[in-house]
Amino acid sequence: MSPATNHDAALAADGLEIDVDRHGGETAPTEPVPKPQLGAAFELDDAVLAALPTPGSKLVAARHYARSLWGQTAKVTTELPDGTTEHYFLKTVRLGETGRVMITGEFASLQALHAVSPTLVPVPHAWGVCTSPSSHNNGPTHFLLTQFREVAAQPPPNADAFAALVAALHARSRSPTGKFGFHTTTCHGTLAQATARWEASWAVLFRAMLARMLDLDEPAWPPAWRRVAALVLDRVVPRLLGVLPADLKPCLVHGDLWDENTAVDAADGEPFVFDPGSCYAHNEYEIGDWYAARHRLSKAEYVESYKRYFPPTEPKEEWDDRNLLYSLRFDLGAAIMIPGCNLRQVVRRNMVILCQKFCPEVLAECGQLE
């Protein structure tokens, strides 16, 4: 199933539509992110009940909560054997094998993040496959069960506090192999990333990750633009990332840290994050997602706060160039998943900017760019 088909199947199955301005616009929205709301009763699958982490728990209620572009989400309330109440967050995805990769990648990412920064992400409890016949209408339905944390605001309004937590995650994390990559495939939305590999070179891994998205989007790229993309992969990536320090540390990153994957916990006022697609990467890769003007996190106070807690890598004067390069991966993924947005044009424009700076002598050979 192609990414476009996956996307259409997800929306059709769950009655959702993508707000282009919200997810792929050119400027950051000025209004607050709508607070997640409780909805109607949610039919809970037996497999989810069996996965509750405390044996003997009784279901009190399950209700739709918030929304997901690729599935359904719910708040599950239970009574524990000691009479206390416990809440869980449930996500279900009806996309067959694609859904399995999405759910298992998110679960593995949450496990890795929680091990390093326990308060930064909800506790991951379980994942599995739903068993009711109705859950298999469009292929198997996979579920993810985590700790429930009530969202108060998105993104966290205290840029300094949020940046400190993100920087601490990056600083404390340690790659289990000492290399860049991850032990399994993780996703950006419905798109599988090239993360299930271990590379000694960050330049090699990032090239593979960017090339993966370009391959997925290749039918939309005319020949001249494909040549520009090849220049970015073969000239710009080695030039910008090949000069990074030889002892560059692989840092655990969330991998999709945009506005609506961040929040303040209503219970304790602390920032937290969710919906990750992690890997061990150059820490600055995380901030490449903040480059896009459509994100509230692109505001200077977030970026500059982060840089105070985790200073730019040498050569420091190329921070902006690396930030632009890293943004290509995130913007291209969004372009694939958001029909009607202008992000493909943004990616092409930014590729030209990078090529004009780092390989201008061959850019002209690409032909007429329209």
Side-chain angles (χ1 to χ4, degrees):
M1 184 179 284
S2 71
T5 304
N6 287 340
H7 164 270
D8 294 342
L11 297 186
D14 294 305
L16 298 174
E17 293 182 2
I18 288 182
D19 181 338
V20 172
D21 289 335
R22 177 181 171 196
H23 297 278
E26 296 185 64
T27 58
T30 56
E31 70 280 0
V33 176
K35 192 175 184 300
Q37 300 294 317
L38 278 173
F42 187 98
E43 184 179 352
L44 214 58
D45 192 88
D46 288 343
V48 176
L49 291 171
L52 292 173
T54 303
S57 297
K58 297 179 182 178
L59 176 64
V60 174
R63 295 176 62 185
H64 288 267
Y65 176 78
R67 59 170 283 174
S68 168
L69 288 176
W70 321 118
Q72 299 281 356
T73 50
K75 178 180 181 180
V76 179
T77 301
T78 65
E79 181 182 303
L80 304 185
D82 63 4
T84 58
T85 299
E86 188 66 57
H87 304 289
Y88 303 97
F89 178 80
L90 174 68
K91 176 190 290 186
T92 63
V93 179
R94 292 189 286 177
L95 287 173
E97 177 61 17
T98 296
R100 184 193 67 78
V101 176
M102 292 167 64
I103 290 295
T104 56
E106 183 175 348
F107 185 74
S109 298
L110 286 170
Q111 285 184 311
L113 293 165
H114 187 264
V116 178
S117 297
T119 65
L120 189 58
V121 296
V123 179
H125 290 305
W127 75 272
V129 184
C130 294
T131 56
S132 66
S134 62
S135 70
H136 290 254
N137 290 342
N138 295 305
T141 295
H142 293 82
F143 71 86
L144 172 70
L145 189 70
T146 73
Q147 172 192 19
F148 180 85
R149 298 180 71 172
E150 184 80 36
V151 169
Q154 296 179 274
N158 187 328
D160 188 74
F162 178 64
L165 289 173
V166 175
L169 164 71
H170 295 161
R172 290 200 298 259
S173 61
R174 294 290 182 272
S175 167
T177 65
K179 297 180 179 182
F180 300 91
F182 207 55
H183 64 278
T184 192
T185 299
T186 61
C187 293
H188 176 198
T190 58
L191 307 177
Q193 304 181 110
T195 53
R197 54 198 292 168
W198 294 106
E199 299 287 353
S201 164
W202 165 239
V204 170
L205 180 65
F206 178 76
R207 186 193 185 284
M209 294 175 71
L210 182 57
R212 160 69 177 166
M213 292 298 156
L214 286 165
D215 288 344
L216 290 175
D217 204 38
E218 184 177 18
W221 289 65
W225 282 109
R226 293 180 196 177
R227 290 191 284 273
V228 173
L231 288 181
V232 172
L233 293 173
D234 298 333
R235 297 293 190 100
V236 177
V237 170
R239 164 58 187 82
L240 273 176
L241 305 188
V243 300
L244 293 173
D247 60 350
L248 183 70
K249 176 192 169 185
C251 296
L252 180 64
V253 298
H254 174 285
D256 190 15
L257 208 56
W258 76 291
D259 303 355
E260 295 185 36
N261 285 346
T262 71
V264 170
D265 191 316
D268 58 19
E270 292 298 316
F272 72 104
V273 301
F274 44 93
D275 282 354
S278 296
C279 66
Y280 289 87
H282 182 201
N283 68 290
E284 294 176 11
Y285 171 72
E286 189 94 277
I287 314 305
D289 203 6
W290 301 2
Y291 181 89
R294 68 186 183 276
H295 290 168
R296 296 170 178 86
L297 290 174
S298 67
K299 293 179 180 178
E301 56 260 39
Y302 289 97
V303 177
E304 294 308 314
S305 292
Y306 177 84
K307 290 163 75 173
R308 285 196 299 273
Y309 288 105
F310 206 130
T313 306
E314 295 288 355
K316 294 182 179 180
E317 64 274 13
E318 293 186 351
W319 161 281
D320 289 335
D321 298 317
R322 295 192 297 266
N323 196 235
L324 180 59
L325 175 64
Y326 294 155
S327 77
L328 301 178
R329 223 301 287 129
F330 298 103
D331 282 348
L332 190 53
I336 295 169
M337 293 185 289
I338 306 173
C341 75
N342 75 323
L343 293 178
R344 191 172 288 109
Q345 289 73 25
V346 169
V347 169
R348 292 174 182 175
R349 179 193 67 206
N350 289 337
M351 282 184 167
V352 168
I353 291 172
L354 288 166
C355 289
Q356 285 174 334
K357 184 167 186 178
F358 294 107
C359 53
E361 70 284 359
V362 291
L363 179 60
E365 301 173 6
C366 292
Q368 186 66 34
L369 302 177
E370 297 179 354

